Amino acid sequence: MSFFAILLALVLEQARPLKTDNQVFAAVEHWTAWVVRTFDAGTRPQAWVTWGITVLSPALLAVLLHWLLDWTLGWWVAVLWNVALLYVTLGFRQFSHHFTGIREALENGDEDKARELLAQWQQVQVGQIPRSEIVRHVIEYSVIAAHRHVFGVFFWYAALSIIGLGPVGAVIYRLTELAQRRWQEPSADGSFPSEVLRSVSARAWQALDWLPSRMTALGFAIVGSFEDAMDGWRHHAQNFPQDNDGVILAATAGAINIRLGGAALHPATEGLASAESMDSSSTPGRVASVAHFAQVVGLVWRTVIMWLLLLALLTMANLVG
């Protein structure tokens, strides 16, 4: 079931991508904001309660509906429900338009437009960074986005599908990522969630993303330059401020022989600074150029195909067994 659900969701998302202002995303935004306003009391136990209500309640609802559909209408209806969930939690098209727009601007020689698009995408101060730095930042942001929107969801959905909890994995992963990101920002009235809630959400995200990030890095190593990717993982992952992201970026740098890391772009809005905006040491490799965009796209798609083939083989073995 998990293989067919993921495959159908990826095909559907490529054919009809969700708009960024869709009602599902808006409802989730309202949900996370309401929970914070209602339950955030500024203490650590209450922070974990707030996080649990935000993330676990929708996940429980998703799996209960999955079981109900399977029991009453049949497994194929449950598969359709899984496809619908994956459609809103997994997919390249939720961020790839930013990558495509910047790449096209650089290919046309319009560096000013590329800087403007990069600033709009990440809400950062770009200034007059050179062409190679535009490319580097776009590649770093895109690789991390591909992990969070595709490989991380893929991993937890497939892993928990083994015990019949596939929807739980997809929903928890995406909501945990969204919560830690949104709670670093001010609300509509300018207030921030409590410091302890922001710490708890970041800690939960780091724990949940620990294994998927390493599986993504391993996938990049297998389909890229394995020895160089593993060497980068071992010796340069610690150069980046975020442990999980550092593993992915260091493996990417080795897999396609590109220099990643260096001066960070800082948030354009006060209060949005985080560890992700801290400077880091550069990895070895070639200076980033527009030609690396095609290599990154190939690396990501080869990794998707590899994991899909592995999941298909496991599905066939389970059916035969």
Side-chain angles (χ1 to χ4, degrees):
M1 180 185 295
S2 59
F3 168 74
F4 293 110
I6 291 173
L7 181 61
L8 287 173
L10 284 172
V11 171
L12 181 61
E13 200 261 348
Q14 288 294 310
R16 289 187 63 86
L18 275 174
K19 296 181 179 179
T20 55
D21 58 349
N22 67 84
Q23 294 183 350
V24 176
F25 289 177
V28 172
E29 295 278 358
H30 288 307
W31 167 250
T32 57
W34 177 83
V35 173
V36 169
R37 290 196 307 268
T38 306
F39 296 100
D40 183 18
T43 64
R44 185 161 294 275
Q46 195 66 24
W48 281 111
V49 170
T50 303
W51 178 87
I53 292 173
T54 302
V55 173
L56 300 182
S57 298
L60 179 61
L61 180 62
V63 76
L64 287 177
L65 187 52
H66 166 80
W67 288 339
L68 179 63
L69 292 173
D70 190 17
W71 181 54
T72 57
L73 299 178
W75 67 269
W76 64 275
V77 181
V79 170
L80 293 179
W81 169 240
N82 280 243
V83 171
L85 284 175
L86 287 170
Y87 178 61
V88 299
T89 58
L90 178 150
F92 290 103
R93 300 297 289 275
Q94 296 180 24
F95 69 91
S96 62
H97 56 286
H98 299 291
F99 175 89
T100 302
I102 297 171
R103 182 184 64 184
E104 290 177 349
L106 289 173
E107 288 175 345
N108 293 331
D110 193 345
E111 295 181 9
D112 289 336
K113 183 178 180 181
R115 294 186 188 97
E116 179 183 351
L117 292 173
L118 176 58
Q120 291 175 356
W121 177 19
Q122 293 295 322
Q123 296 296 299
V124 291
Q125 302 171 15
V126 173
Q128 293 298 313
I129 60 173
R131 183 183 182 90
S132 62
E133 284 294 281
I134 299 173
V135 175
R136 175 178 72 84
H137 286 296
V138 171
I139 289 176
E140 291 178 358
Y141 290 135
S142 298
V143 168
I144 296 302
H147 166 68
R148 295 181 180 182
H149 287 84
V150 181
F151 297 116
V153 178
F154 190 128
F155 173 83
W156 279 117
Y157 177 81
L160 293 189
S161 289
I162 297 173
I163 56 175
L165 296 175
V168 170
V171 174
I172 287 180
Y173 183 84
R174 289 300 297 135
L175 284 178
T176 299
E177 190 276 332
L178 184 142
Q180 66 84 28
R181 178 162 40 88
R182 286 289 182 260
W183 291 346
Q184 304 301 321
E185 304 172 359
S187 60
D189 61 3
S191 63
F192 278 89
S194 66
E195 181 64 32
V196 67
L197 178 60
R198 295 161 68 185
S199 173
V200 161
S201 64
R203 182 177 177 183
W205 167 244
Q206 286 297 107
L208 193 67
D209 196 43
W210 190 90
L211 186 55
S213 63
R214 282 146 181 82
M215 294 302 294
T216 297
L218 178 62
F220 288 170
I222 292 172
V223 303
S225 175
F226 185 84
E227 184 176 352
D228 291 334
M230 297 305 293
D231 182 73
W233 181 347
R234 287 193 300 268
H235 298 107
H236 303 290
Q238 66 274 13
N239 294 349
F240 297 89
Q242 291 284 352
D243 176 62
N244 295 338
D245 292 351
V247 168
I248 297 169
L249 293 174
T252 301
I256 61 175
N257 188 25
I258 184 175
R259 186 183 306 165
L260 298 179
L265 297 178
H266 297 282
T269 306
E270 285 297 323
L272 300 188
S274 67
E276 292 178 291
S277 66
M278 294 170 57
D279 294 349
S280 60
S281 301
S282 297
T283 65
R286 294 175 297 170
V287 175
S289 66
V290 175
H292 281 108
F293 283 148
Q295 292 182 264
V296 170
V297 172
L299 184 75
V300 169
W301 274 111
R302 289 196 303 272
T303 305
V304 169
I305 293 170
M306 181 191 70
W307 290 128
L308 279 174
L309 287 175
L310 178 60
L311 188 57
L313 291 173
L314 292 174
T315 300
M316 291 177 61
N318 183 55
L319 292 174
V320 172

